[in-house]
């Protein structure tokens, strides 16, 4: 039989990797709780129509990246390519948006049929934040401050740049879109294929084109600043003032448009040079138009999503991985002899009850004293407990400091917590 492998672009997260994932998730949760955000968990599969309506028919995601299939009932379902549409669907379905303010977050796998490469996968993980019911620049600033705090805490702020822009109201955008299309029609023969394809369906995305020749054409294109509505202009000024007041550095990037159709006013991205082409680790903005598009009342909304794998790659690229996070055992119990074997598990459970914070691994499956001591060393434990037959009969145990230089000592079971405490456990 040929050996089975994971689906291309979908990765196993091995036990040696998971401590770093848990570290990052822990940091994110700690920051989110500082700001009073609450977790929501949505299904990984949604009706296909949700994304067609909620993400936009003419986005890369819906046009070519979705995993869509019919279930046995003939219903068209899609593995979620992002979390915002599902979050809005859930919030509407359960009445979370009616006259309420919400600060929500979620995490989990997203699925996009893309060409796998470093920092780009077909199953990848996002942590997303969505807020509802707040129309001002205050909440947009809060989202940016929150991500700034997280990146500071993670020690990666120095390798990130914050880009911000405003997309204006949908009316202003429509006017600008028309001006941009008029201009681009005049230089149509010089556009790259991707941009040509987008010209009538999603022309704003052309601003974000990766083609150098197209970027050059854009230098003479109309600029959004001449089309922006007053309200959006004030909103953007307010946002910048709040960032300035908090000492947050940013670049205003008029070509920042983001891939999704539903953004209005504020957009932002955190970008790095450290990861090659996959440089955006976090992107978000305001999407006041989405809730009505999915059948709800007018509801202001603002959020962001960050790619976990890219942040992990960044932590590694800039040497910001904390030492010792892969350590999972503090105490290793060596079991030497039949009498010892008969009571070792009782001792282990007693320690776990008395010292719930200590991570204890008991040797299972026998083995010589020497091989068990090797396992103790390999486990990363700071201390080994050695239970031989004599100790077992006397309800005592040998305590061996594996890294420091405190001499091996014998302890009764009932004094053990105290002895281990003195060793820093
Ligand atoms: P890109 O331009 O890199 O394709 P995007 O605009 O499609 O990104 P979003 O939809 O805004 O990305 O998703 C938010 C974040 O999720 C991105 O900034 C990135 O960190 C991460 N991300 C998006 N697609 C992938 C992927 N295929 N693999 C890994 N991470 C991804
Ligand atoms: Mg993409």
């Amino acid at each position: 039989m040929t050996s089975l492998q994971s689906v291309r672009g979908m990765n196993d997260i091995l036990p040696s990797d998971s401590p770093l994932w848990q570290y990052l998730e822990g940091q994110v949760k700690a920051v989110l709780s500082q700001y009073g955000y609450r977790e929501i968990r949505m299904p990984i599969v949604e009706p296909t129509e949700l994304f067609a309506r909620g993400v936009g028919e003419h986005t890369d995601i819906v046009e070519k990246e979705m995993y869509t299939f019919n279930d046995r009932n003939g219903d068209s379902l899609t593995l979620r390519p992002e979390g915002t549409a599902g979050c809005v669907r859930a919030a509407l379905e359960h009445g979370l948006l009616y006259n309420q303010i919400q600060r929500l977050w979620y995490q989990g796998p997203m699925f996009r049929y893309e060409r796998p490469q470093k920092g780009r996968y077909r199953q990848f993980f996002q942590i997303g934040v969505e807020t509802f019911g707040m129309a001002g620049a205050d909440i947009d600033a809060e989202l940016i401050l929150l991500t700034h705090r997280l990146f500071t805490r993670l020690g990666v702020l120095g390798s990130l740049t914050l880009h911000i822009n405003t997309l204006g109201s949908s009316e202003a955008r429509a006017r600008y879109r028309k001006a941009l299309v008029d201009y681009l029609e005049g230089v149509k023969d010089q556009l790259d294929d991707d941009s040509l394809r987008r010209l009538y369906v999603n022309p704003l995305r052309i601003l974000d084109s990766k083609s150098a020749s197209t970027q050059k054409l854009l230098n003479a294109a109309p600029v959004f600043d001449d089309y922006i509505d007053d309200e959006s202009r004030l909103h953007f000024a307010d946002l910048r003032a709040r960032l300035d007041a908090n000492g947050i550095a940013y670049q205003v990037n008029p070509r920042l448009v983001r891939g999704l159709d539903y953004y209005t006013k504020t957009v932002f991205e955190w970008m790095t040079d450290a990861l090659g082409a996959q440089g955006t680790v976090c992107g978000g903005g305001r999407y006041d138009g989405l809730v009505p598009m999915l059948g709800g009342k007018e509801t202001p909304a603002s959020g962001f999503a960050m790619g976990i794998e890219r942040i992990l790659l960044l932590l590694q690229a800039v040497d910001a991985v904390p030492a010792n996070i892969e350590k999972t055992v503090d105490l290793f119990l060596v079991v030497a002899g039949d009498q010892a074997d008969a009571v070792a598990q009782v001792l282990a459970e007693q320690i776990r009850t008395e010292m719930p914070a200590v991570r204890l691994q008991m040797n299972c499956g026998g083995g010589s004293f020497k091989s068990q001591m090797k396992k103790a060393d390999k486990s990363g434990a700071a201390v080994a407990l050695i239970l031989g037959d004599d100790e077992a009969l006397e309800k005592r145990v040998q305590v061996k400091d594996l890294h420091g230089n405190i001499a091996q000592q014998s302890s009764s079971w009932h004094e053990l917590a105290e002895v281990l405490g003195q060793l820093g456990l």
Side-chain angles (χ1 to χ4, degrees):
M1 200 179 96
T2 53
S3 62
L4 292 172
Q5 294 190 338
S6 74
V7 175
R8 186 165 130 82
M10 304 202 183
N11 302 311
D12 297 307
I13 299 158
L14 298 176
S16 54
D17 305 325
S18 58
L20 188 57
W21 283 71
Q22 289 170 357
Y23 161 72
L24 175 58
E25 288 159 4
Q27 294 292 317
V28 176
K29 283 181 201 170
V31 172
L32 286 166
S33 89
Q34 279 193 288
Y35 289 79
Y37 284 64
R38 299 189 302 157
E39 186 180 5
I40 180 167
R41 301 188 187 194
M42 300 84 68
I44 285 169
V45 181
E46 296 276 2
T48 302
E49 193 197 342
L50 174 70
F51 302 113
R53 275 168 64 187
V55 176
E57 304 265 14
H58 301 300
T59 56
D60 283 353
I61 292 182
V62 173
E63 274 182 348
K64 47 188 190 194
E65 295 176 359
M66 294 204 309
Y67 279 90
T68 297
F69 59 97
N70 287 340
D71 73 0
R72 288 172 191 275
N73 212 14
D75 295 329
S76 180
L77 305 181
T78 293
L79 299 184
R80 63 181 186 192
E82 52 94 60
T84 305
C87 183
V88 170
R89 196 262 318 129
L92 281 173
E93 186 170 335
H94 302 286
L96 304 190
L97 302 185
Y98 186 69
N99 276 345
Q100 287 175 74
I101 278 177
Q102 295 290 352
R103 287 178 165 88
L104 305 176
W105 70 274
Y106 52 81
Q107 65 171 336
M110 305 294 162
F111 302 85
R112 297 185 193 177
Y113 193 82
E114 303 199 65
R115 194 168 68 78
Q117 52 198 291
K118 184 180 164 200
R120 190 176 296 285
Y121 312 103
R122 290 181 173 176
Q123 174 180 273
F124 63 99
F125 287 74
Q126 282 184 343
I127 291 182
V129 166
E130 316 292 352
T131 72
F132 300 99
M134 293 164 281
D138 47 3
I139 187 68
D140 297 355
E142 177 174 299
L143 294 174
I144 291 175
L145 290 167
L146 187 161
T147 52
H148 183 275
R149 182 174 296 280
L150 173 68
F151 294 136
T152 305
R153 228 176 130 128
L154 292 171
V156 296
L157 188 71
S159 42
L160 289 169
T161 311
L162 171 63
H163 292 245
I164 62 172
N165 190 23
T166 179
L167 300 177
S169 66
S170 50
E171 298 77 26
R173 240 192 329 166
R175 283 197 303 276
Y176 175 62
R177 183 185 151 122
K178 186 171 177 316
L180 185 67
V181 172
D182 286 349
Y183 168 78
L184 291 172
E185 276 179 332
V187 291
K188 212 169 162 178
D189 50 325
Q190 300 169 61
L191 281 178
D192 65 280
D193 289 347
D194 255 351
S195 299
L196 202 54
R197 196 171 51 80
R198 288 180 173 139
L199 184 54
Y200 299 106
V201 293
N202 196 357
L204 292 185
R205 270 310 296 281
I206 298 176
L207 294 178
D208 175 44
S209 164
K210 306 237 167 13
S211 147
S213 60
T214 297
Q215 280 297 334
K216 219 166 144 197
L217 287 176
L218 288 168
N219 288 334
V223 289
F224 183 61
D225 203 48
D226 297 334
Y227 293 80
I228 187 177
D229 53 297
D230 289 345
E231 190 194 320
S232 299
R233 190 188 299 282
L234 286 173
H235 188 103
F236 196 44
D238 188 2
L239 174 69
R240 290 192 319 259
R242 288 167 189 277
L243 297 179
D244 293 340
N246 282 286
I248 309 292
Y250 57 85
Q251 278 179 25
V252 175
N253 177 352
R255 302 231 170 129
L256 183 66
V257 288
R258 314 244 333 109
L260 310 180
D261 276 349
Y262 49 64
Y263 285 98
T264 48
K265 293 182 177 158
T266 309
V267 285
F268 68 93
E269 285 192 1
W270 286 96
M271 297 184 193
T272 178
D273 294 331
L275 301 180
Q278 275 55 251
T280 303
V281 300
C282 173
R286 176 163 288 283
Y287 52 95
D288 294 345
L290 182 60
V291 176
M293 207 142 84
L294 293 178
K297 292 210 175 94
E298 287 291 332
T299 307
S302 192
F304 66 79
M306 54 195 178
I308 299 299
E309 289 88 348
R310 291 190 194 173
I311 295 176
L312 295 177
L313 286 169
L314 182 60
L315 285 171
Q316 288 161 332
V318 305
D319 271 332
V321 176
N324 283 331
I325 52 168
E326 73 289 349
K327 212 182 125 208
T328 52
V329 177
D330 304 311
L331 191 60
F332 191 96
L333 176 56
V334 170
V335 187
D338 290 343
Q339 307 285 342
D341 190 39
V343 295
Q345 217 146 21
V346 174
L347 172 60
E349 288 303 305
Q350 177 192 315
I351 297 167
R352 291 184 183 117
T353 302
E354 283 178 16
M355 305 181 75
V358 167
R359 299 167 299 177
L360 164 64
Q361 197 166 83
M362 181 183 91
N363 186 81
C364 286
S368 69
F369 175 75
K370 204 173 145 199
S371 74
Q372 290 192 43
M373 283 309 290
K374 267 197 193 148
K375 282 200 245 170
D377 273 326
K378 224 179 139 199
S379 75
V383 175
L385 296 179
I386 301 159
L387 188 69
D389 287 341
D390 293 347
E391 283 88 4
L393 291 173
E394 294 165 24
K395 295 213 162 192
R396 298 188 70 82
V397 69
Q398 297 288 328
V399 181
K400 186 172 166 58
D401 184 8
L402 291 174
H403 299 139
N405 37 21
I406 295 170
Q408 182 168 323
Q409 55 188 304
S410 164
S411 165
S412 67
W413 288 13
H414 72 268
E415 284 166 337
L416 190 55
E418 203 176 311
V419 171
L420 291 173
Q422 282 160 5
L423 287 170
L425 291 187

